[in-house]
Amino acid sequence: MKDLTLILFERIGLLLVIAFVLTRTPGFKKLLDRKFNKGMSIVHAIVFGAFAIASTTTGILIADGTVLNVDFIVLPVEDDQLIVSMSLVAVVIAGLLGGPFVGFGAGLIAGIHLMFLGGVGWLANGFVNPLTGLLAGLTARFFSNERVISPLKALFIGVFPPVLQMQLLLIFYTDALDIVEIVDWIGLPLVLSNSLAIAIFTAMVGIVLKEQENEAAIATKQALTIAEEAIPYLKKDFSGDMAEGIAELLYERLELAAVSVTNNKEVLAYKGIGRHHLIGEPIRSSVAQEAIRTKVMQVTYKKEEVECKEKNCPFQAAIMIPITQGTEHTGLIIFYFRKPEHISPVELTMAEGLGKFISNQLTMLHAEKLKMHMRDTELRNLQAQINPHFLFNTLQLIATLFRENAETARHLTLKLASFMRFNLRLVSKSLVELEKECEHVEAYTSIIQARFMDRLRININKPDDLSNIYIPPSTIQPLVENCINHGLHHKSKGGKIEIDISLEETDVFILVRDNGNGFPEHVLQFAGEQPLSEGKSGGIGIYNVNQRLVSLLGESSKLSIRNLPQGGSEVYFRIPKSHHLERKVIL
């Protein structure tokens, strides 16, 4: 028994080497993920059946209580010889991983082979293999929540198949006088070797799963890193600059042989070996054109399908990743590989994920830009509207002054013209010079003070040099108008508004203060954040101003509002001294 045990353990080592190679195949990984149909189930049953045949071939022949050979069993054996096989290991693994169908199929193949070889126990061996595969597959259903059974459970399960085999030998060969002695001799070594082999194989499977998880984690982390770094390029629209940045980023991070970015017709950017893939060349590959047409990622493993015009092109495989913006196709990202085997499942998953991310990001950025343009246009149009009461009252004042004070009337006419001219320019600009904004405010305050005479005094304090400072148009004037219409509405005289503009180290501080009634407490916390109605002490003007400041200059420029202890209120905000991005929009 000791010698038989040692020989069986030696055979286990050989089988585990074969099993290790089997776990490295792509088909085996699909089996672990349970991503197979009936066709794949048949393939897996044949593969594990072949593994079982290999286990039988490396088995042992015994007769009269002695080991006859340790060579491979290929030809049929004598009637008085018994084959001690490790085929049950492969059959149990097939059932545990693939379910009843795969287990039964592998067992059937192994059983037919054993029946062909003949010898003592041929019927028992032929029957026990498919039965074991079926039972192992049914057992696996109890552990369906686990991707693979733990080695400890597998060790326990591996005890039963050789016990069942011994029972069948005793049942089918009751006339053989020495069958009991044979079972006593081979039973324990078979139980130990089978259960241990099954446990080690499941441990191997666990290692494969851990490797897959690690690969997935690395690929996910890499994809997220690339995704984060790609955002600045995607904001440039699908142009040459964006394509150049994306191509260089992907080439450096993914260590590809080469990568190119195209639109629907030609190459926009290229990085890597094979410099004959020039920028501006038309898309020749039919596989690439198929990816553009179907908007589905295409993979080619043939050099001729890359369709390079150079005979010595180093690329033999490629992944064509379509990039879309909404429902419209925008272009392709193409990964080039020197050899077809360089395209692994990790590369395919990475390519598909990046394609979806870039497409989704382009769609989101396009929607955000469209929404921003619509909101910006709406706000400009709102701010460009001239209050008809203001215009009517001003014209009436000018008409009266022409009879009493023609010089003042001409002055106010010029101020009104300047005010209206500025308002008409609002619909075409996102930012204006702060100097122009101050001229707009001065034109407005000149008209207002002429209308209200001694009832209201407006002071503007500002530095002499406000050059190269930009601000959303019509930002200060609505704040002054709000003071007049709401803060000072009930003040018959002594009204005062102060506009202070001061230069700080990096920002410009702008404050509008009045000595009126202030904001009601229940309105103060929402002012600027919600579009209050005109009857709620602030109107929509403050909300519009705040939205413009935040959307164009960021949260740091939002309005701050507070009531003063001595009465009245003040609204203030900051703008950067230089804001190059928006300045480009203007120029």
Side-chain angles (χ1 to χ4, degrees):
M1 182 183 295
K2 181 179 179 181
D3 293 338
L4 179 61
T5 303
L6 291 176
I7 295 173
L8 287 176
F9 275 106
E10 178 185 308
R11 295 294 191 265
I12 287 177
L14 179 60
L15 292 178
L16 290 178
V17 170
I18 299 174
F20 177 79
V21 175
L22 184 64
T23 60
R24 299 292 135 180
T25 61
F28 183 81
K29 294 181 179 181
K30 290 183 179 179
L31 184 67
L32 294 182
D33 295 330
R34 293 180 170 86
K35 294 180 179 178
F36 50 91
N37 49 30
K38 289 183 179 180
M40 287 302 298
S41 297
I42 294 173
V43 171
H44 287 125
I46 294 173
V47 170
F48 278 102
F51 184 24
I53 290 175
S55 303
T56 300
T57 303
T58 57
I60 303 169
L61 283 178
I62 63 172
D64 298 328
T66 61
V67 177
L68 295 182
N69 77 310
V70 291
D71 298 327
F72 294 118
I73 303 172
V74 179
L75 300 176
V77 300
E78 302 296 331
D79 292 340
D80 62 341
Q81 296 174 348
L82 175 67
I83 299 174
V84 180
S85 169
M86 300 290 290
S87 63
L88 290 176
V89 174
V91 173
V92 171
I93 293 298
L96 293 179
L97 294 180
F101 183 86
V102 175
F104 180 80
L108 188 63
I109 293 172
I112 292 173
H113 178 250
L114 280 165
M115 293 175 72
F116 167 76
L117 291 175
V120 178
W122 68 271
L123 183 58
N125 288 337
F127 188 73
V128 74
N129 277 275
L131 180 60
T132 297
L134 181 63
L135 293 175
L138 294 174
T139 302
R141 291 188 173 180
F142 288 100
F143 305 98
S144 58
N145 59 327
E146 301 179 26
R147 290 186 68 186
V148 64
I149 296 175
S150 68
L152 186 61
K153 293 176 182 177
L155 185 68
F156 179 73
I157 293 171
V159 171
F160 294 97
V163 170
L164 178 61
Q165 183 181 15
M166 299 304 104
Q167 292 295 326
L168 291 176
L169 283 172
L170 292 172
I171 292 172
F172 290 155
Y173 299 94
T174 55
D175 295 337
L177 297 177
D178 58 346
I179 194 67
V180 176
E181 294 180 4
I182 293 175
V183 168
D184 286 340
W185 185 47
I186 68 174
L188 184 59
L190 273 178
V191 168
L192 290 176
S193 59
N194 274 261
S195 58
L196 184 61
I198 293 171
I200 293 175
F201 192 92
T202 53
M204 285 184 180
V205 173
I207 293 173
V208 173
L209 288 176
K210 193 69 175 177
E211 289 175 353
Q212 285 182 329
E213 292 172 358
N214 290 338
E215 288 177 358
I218 292 172
T220 302
K221 182 178 179 181
Q222 191 176 29
L224 290 174
T225 302
I226 294 173
E228 185 177 352
E229 294 177 347
I231 291 176
Y233 302 112
L234 297 178
K235 290 182 178 179
K236 297 179 180 179
D237 295 325
F238 210 86
S239 61
D241 290 339
M242 189 219 77
E244 182 74 19
I246 293 294
E248 186 168 356
L249 176 65
L250 294 176
Y251 180 69
E252 291 178 355
R253 294 290 183 269
L254 299 181
E255 298 180 355
L256 300 165
V259 59
S260 68
V261 180
T262 78
N263 55 21
N264 292 335
K265 297 179 180 179
E266 62 184 16
V267 177
L268 296 178
Y270 183 88
K271 292 291 180 181
I273 61 175
R275 287 295 179 180
H276 46 273
H277 293 261
L278 300 176
I279 296 173
E281 284 197 354
I283 299 174
R284 295 187 177 89
S285 171
S286 58
V287 179
Q289 292 171 357
E290 179 71 9
I292 292 174
R293 186 182 65 82
T294 61
K295 302 176 186 176
V296 176
M297 186 178 78
Q298 303 291 326
V299 184
T300 175
Y301 299 95
K302 300 178 181 179
K303 182 175 182 178
E304 55 269 21
E305 290 183 348
V306 176
E307 297 187 31
C308 178
K309 66 178 183 179
E310 294 290 327
K311 293 183 179 180
N312 297 324
C313 180
F315 306 129
Q316 297 183 15
I319 303 176
M320 318 288 185
I321 310 163
I323 303 300
T324 59
Q325 183 173 286
T327 58
E328 298 296 324
H329 186 273
T330 304
L332 285 177
I333 294 177
I334 305 177
F335 293 170
Y336 292 101
F337 300 86
R338 290 178 179 268
K339 301 290 183 182
E341 52 268 27
H342 292 171
I343 301 179
S344 69
V346 174
E347 271 73 28
L348 292 174
T349 303
M350 172 76 74
E352 187 173 10
L354 282 173
K356 289 181 179 179
F357 168 80
I358 293 175
S359 296
N360 292 338
Q361 199 68 24
L362 283 173
T363 302
M364 291 174 59
L365 289 171
H366 178 71
E368 287 179 5
K369 288 179 181 178
L370 184 62
K371 184 178 179 181
M372 182 176 292
H373 287 323
M374 291 176 64
R375 184 176 63 180
D376 192 44
T377 301
E378 180 182 359
L379 290 175
R380 287 189 214 164
N381 288 334
L382 282 172
Q383 291 182 334
Q385 295 174 3
I386 300 175
N387 189 314
H389 296 290
F390 169 77
L391 181 59
F392 176 77
N393 291 332
T394 303
L395 291 175
Q396 189 176 40
L397 174 63
I398 292 173
T400 303
L401 286 174
F402 265 114
R403 293 191 298 267
E404 300 174 359
N405 190 333
E407 186 63 30
T408 303
R410 282 192 293 271
H411 174 73
L412 290 182
T413 301
L414 293 175
K415 292 296 182 183
L416 179 60
S418 175
F419 179 81
M420 293 181 66
R421 190 182 305 112
F422 187 91
N423 274 49
L424 292 174
R425 291 172 58 195
L426 295 183
V427 295
S428 61
K429 290 183 178 293
S430 296
L431 296 174
V432 296
E433 300 90 339
L434 183 54
E435 293 174 334
K436 298 294 184 182
E437 177 71 9
C438 289
E439 292 176 7
H440 177 242
V441 175
E442 289 170 350
Y444 177 76
T445 56
S446 297
I447 296 170
I448 290 296
Q449 289 190 108
R451 280 179 54 194
F452 292 101
M453 298 294 186
D454 296 334
R455 176 185 165 189
L456 177 63
R457 189 174 81 253
I458 303 176
N459 296 325
I460 301 178
N461 304 311
K462 61 183 180 68
D464 294 332
D465 184 13
L466 293 176
S467 57
N468 296 320
I469 300 173
Y470 292 83
I471 187 172
S474 194
T475 298
I476 302 175
Q477 181 269 330
L479 302 181
V480 176
E481 185 177 2
N482 180 72
C483 293
I484 297 168
N485 294 338
H486 299 283
L488 301 171
H489 181 64
H490 300 292
K491 209 172 186 68
S492 57
K493 61 178 181 178
K496 184 178 180 181
I497 298 174
E498 292 187 8
I499 303 168
D500 289 327
I501 301 174
S502 57
L503 300 179
E504 298 181 348
E505 185 175 352
T506 59
D507 299 328
V508 179
F509 182 78
I510 300 174
L511 177 145
V512 178
R513 180 191 300 117
D514 68 64
N515 63 343
N517 299 324
F519 288 82
E521 289 299 325
H522 69 281
V523 170
L524 186 60
Q525 59 179 324
F526 301 111
E529 303 294 334
Q530 297 179 5
L532 304 176
S533 65
E534 289 292 336
K536 290 189 176 181
S537 303
I540 200 171
I542 289 182
Y543 171 77
N544 285 344
V545 168
N546 192 48
Q547 292 300 301
R548 293 269 287 163
L549 287 169
V550 171
S551 64
L552 292 173
L553 303 180
E555 285 288 331
S556 61
S557 294
K558 70 177 182 179
L559 293 179
S560 296
I561 305 171
R562 66 175 180 175
N563 287 332
L564 302 174
Q566 66 273 22
S569 64
E570 61 182 21
V571 181
Y572 56 93
F573 61 96
R574 287 179 170 82
I575 59 172
K577 284 185 178 178
S578 61
H579 207 278
H580 301 294
L581 180 61
E582 280 74 16
R583 185 179 176 184
K584 289 180 181 178
V585 173
I586 300 168
L587 299 177

